[in-house]
Structures are given as structure tokens and as C-alpha cells.
Amino acid sequence: MADLLECFAIVAPGIEAITARELRALGAGELVPEPGGITFPATPYLLQDANLRLRTASRVLVRVARFRARTFFELERHATKLEWSRWLAAGAAPTFDVTSKKSKLYHEKGIAQRLAGAAGRASADAQEQLFVVRVHRDEFTLSIDSSGELLHRRGYRQETAKAPMRETLAAAMLLGAEWDGQAPLVDPMCGSGTIPIEAALIARRMAPGLKRRFAFMRWPGFDADAWREVHARAESEVRARSPVSITGRDRDAGAVAAARENAMRAGVAEDVTFEEAALSALSAEGGPGFLVSNPPYGVRVGEEARLRDLYATLGKLVTQRLDGWTAALLTANPRLDHATGLDWREVFRTSNGGIPVRLIVHTAI
């Protein structure tokens, strides 16, 4: 049996429980959630699979070392003993993201310089390999990033409307609302289409990382045969089409055009219908189904009064036209939630673009 790696999936604070469900579905055990992530043991195979399939995590780190150091001499002594050649190919360019709190060694650039010196000289054209270093009360935790580019960058979103949301948050909304790709879905304020596109990926069982590369592929011990197996298994599970209707609407013609382009790059253009339409055009697409949306938040001065009518209209439309449907919104203002006239339950709290937000769900009785 391959050695188990101690891994850490980085997630937006507040959605740890959703990512934990994803990890359990992949077969991970002994999950240890903490604010901003989940520690889990993984074989190299599971590490590859997690990078390929996780929809709500931003990175997957592998713990390389833990040690205590209060002086640069102690830090250098520990750093020179590390097995850098296990993680870094010859000439690779290590970079260090260092955070130090309540520690004798508080100069973060100095810590990064000592670690870089121990790791060895990089060639001029080498690709970077990120290490994440956390120091708390003189205890060092050194981790290597296995993902490379952040996992929310699926590769399809080159066209964006105003205030785009991360793909990982859109996926967390869908999973948090317990939409599983087996019921119709509509987003009446879809912007550049992130929620409907992520829904199509779920409905078609498309792993979000199928079209990208990862940092672990450059490690000296990379098992290419295992990766081919992991990738081929994920490809074999992809459905030819979404089994349910997925619709994105927006009154902004530019946003709708961008959403269509994004869906084409994601390979789901035939699975999502994008339409230029006002909220008042909302109607059932078969069903019962799900309405999942990220409406305006009303955080600027003077916006709340204008948006109260929008939220009230949304509530009336859900009641009058979407009988038996589930509604899920990402919101920032409880007063606007109340304006819908619907009963809501909170699923999680997180932030979007630095704004504290909540996923709230209304389930018809």
C-alpha cells in the first residue's frame, strides 16, 4: 500500500462541511475540518483524484514537515534536513508563501529566503513550485501545493459580466442547496453564467479539472500511469448530455453573450439555455425544480430601497409560478431576504468579493 500523505484542502471559510462531503464521496477518511480547510489522509492516487474532482476547494496542499524554530539558525538547520529532492525536480523554482504569527521569527521575507537557500538554486526558465509556510508560536508547518493554478480556474471563464463569482462558490451554492443534477434548474439573474455552467458540469458528471494540468505532475515522484487511470476513469463517467433543463437568464445582453461564450469553452453549450430576459419573465421549466441565484446585495448606500422591490418580486414569482420548487439565494442583507415574503433556512456563511454573504434556501411545502 502506498504511503499516506497528510493533505489539506483549502476552502472558503464557511463551506468546509460541503467540501467534506465531496471528500467522503471520493473515499477520504479521518477528515479534520478547521476554519478555511480540511485535513485528510490520501494516497497519491486520491491526491490526484481530489485535484481533478473537487468542486469547492481552491487548493490541495501536502504537508512536508513540521518543526519548531525560534532563530534563523534553527530554521536553517531544519530546512537543510528536508527531502527537497522528493518534491522538486532538478532546477525547479520554489516560491514560499509565509505567514508568521506570535513567533520569534516574524520576518516573513527572511524566512522565505532561508528556505529558498536550503531548497537549492533554480534554473532561470524553471516553472515555479509553491510552498505554503505557516508559523504560529514558533511552530512551523511547511506544505507543498499540489494544485498549481487555483482550482476555481476551470479554464472556461474568459468573458465576465459585472461582479463575477468564483466557480467554487457557485458549486458550493448548488451542492449546499442539495441540487444533484436530477431536477430542472434556473438562474434568473445569471450574469456571466457561472451558476448554470457549474450546474451543467454537475449534471453531466464532468470533473472540473478534466481540461487542466496540476503542479503534482512536475514532481519527481509523479506516477503518470496512475494519473492516466484517474483521468480515464473520470472521463468515462461523463454523460453525453444533461438529463434536465438548465436555464440562465439576465436582462443584460452583454452578460448573456458572455455566458454563452463561457459555456462553449466549458463544453456545455448544448446543456444550458441562456436568454436575455427580465426577472418578470421567470417561469417554471418543467419541474418541480430549483431556482439558484446570486442577486444584487444592496451593500452600497441607497441601494437597499431600490432592491427591496426586486426581492419582493422574486418572492412573489416563486410563490405564484414555481409551485413545489426549491429556491436558493446568496444574500448579504437580511432585510432584503425578508422582503421576499418567503421562509428561509441558512445553509452556510462565507464571503464573496470581501462581502459577508449567506446561502439561504426556501423549500416549498
Side-chain angles (χ1 to χ4, degrees):
M1 181 177 179
D3 292 338
L4 289 178
L5 304 169
E6 182 183 347
C7 299
F8 184 75
I10 299 177
V11 304
I15 65 169
E16 295 88 355
I18 293 173
T19 309
R21 290 207 304 265
E22 288 194 272
L23 285 166
R24 289 191 192 97
L26 296 180
E30 300 179 45
L31 306 182
V32 182
E34 59 184 84
I38 301 168
T39 298
F40 65 101
T43 62
Y45 187 100
L46 177 56
L47 174 67
Q48 294 181 3
D49 212 23
N51 274 288
L52 181 66
R53 294 176 182 267
L54 286 178
R55 300 183 188 277
T56 61
S58 60
R59 289 191 191 279
V60 181
L61 306 178
V62 177
R63 305 297 195 202
V64 172
R66 284 190 176 89
F67 54 82
R68 182 177 178 83
R70 303 183 71 190
T71 67
F72 281 123
F73 173 78
E74 289 181 288
L75 171 60
E76 291 169 346
R77 180 167 55 83
H78 286 290
T80 55
K81 293 180 180 179
L82 297 179
E83 294 182 86
W84 296 104
S85 61
R86 179 181 179 186
W87 308 105
L88 291 171
T95 62
F96 298 89
D97 178 350
V98 181
T99 302
S100 180
K101 296 180 180 179
K102 300 180 180 180
S103 298
K104 293 289 186 181
L105 291 177
Y106 58 85
H107 194 289
E108 294 169 351
K109 288 186 178 179
I111 293 170
Q113 289 170 354
R114 266 58 171 199
L115 290 169
R121 186 179 300 275
S123 59
D125 59 347
Q127 288 185 294
E128 292 186 349
Q129 170 60 64
L130 175 65
F131 288 84
V132 176
V133 185
R134 297 294 176 255
V135 192
H136 185 253
R137 298 188 186 278
D138 305 321
E139 296 290 341
F140 280 68
T141 302
L142 179 65
S143 304
I144 187 171
D145 168 41
S146 70
S147 303
E149 196 168 22
L150 288 165
L151 295 179
H152 79 266
R153 293 172 181 161
R154 319 283 205 226
Y156 65 76
R157 198 175 71 185
Q158 297 177 28
E159 300 291 339
T160 58
K162 293 180 181 179
M165 75 185 316
R166 286 191 171 188
E167 296 86 332
T168 44
L169 180 52
M173 289 178 63
L174 293 161
L175 298 177
E178 299 183 2
W179 186 78
D180 60 1
Q182 300 300 312
L185 181 136
V186 62
D187 179 356
M189 294 169 277
C190 71
S192 57
T194 308
I195 292 173
I197 291 170
E198 288 296 313
L201 296 177
I202 292 172
R204 289 190 56 191
R205 298 176 182 169
M206 294 175 69
L210 275 176
K211 297 181 179 181
R212 55 164 288 171
R213 296 180 63 81
F214 301 94
F216 64 74
M217 301 171 79
R218 302 192 298 270
W219 294 354
F222 171 56
D223 188 336
D225 291 336
W227 172 244
R228 281 189 285 270
E229 181 181 342
V230 167
H231 196 273
R233 185 162 63 93
E235 281 192 320
S236 71
E237 295 171 3
V238 175
R239 288 170 163 167
R241 289 291 301 271
S242 168
V244 295
S245 68
I246 299 172
T247 305
R249 295 195 178 101
D250 202 282
R251 66 180 183 178
D252 185 328
V256 172
R260 289 181 178 138
E261 290 293 325
N262 290 337
M264 187 173 299
R265 277 187 289 270
V268 296
E270 301 299 318
D271 303 288
V272 186
T273 300
F274 287 109
E275 301 171 344
E276 183 185 345
L279 178 62
S280 58
L282 180 64
S283 61
E285 308 289 335
F290 284 69
L291 180 152
V292 182
S293 196
N294 178 36
Y297 298 151
V299 295
R300 294 187 179 89
V301 175
E303 284 187 328
E304 182 178 329
R306 177 177 60 84
L307 290 177
R308 196 174 292 118
D309 289 342
L310 175 75
Y311 278 70
T313 298
L314 178 60
K316 289 179 182 177
L317 292 172
V318 169
T319 301
Q320 296 171 2
R321 300 184 188 177
L322 302 183
D323 184 39
W325 281 52
T326 296
L329 304 178
L330 195 68
T331 69
N333 190 329
R335 290 187 296 274
L336 291 177
D337 306 344
H338 181 72
T340 64
L342 302 175
D343 294 325
W344 300 98
R345 64 180 175 86
E346 182 180 301
V347 177
F348 61 70
R349 295 188 179 195
T350 187
S351 66
N352 184 26
I355 299 171
V357 292
R358 301 151 57 236
L359 178 67
I360 55 174
V361 175
H362 165 80
T363 305
I365 300 175

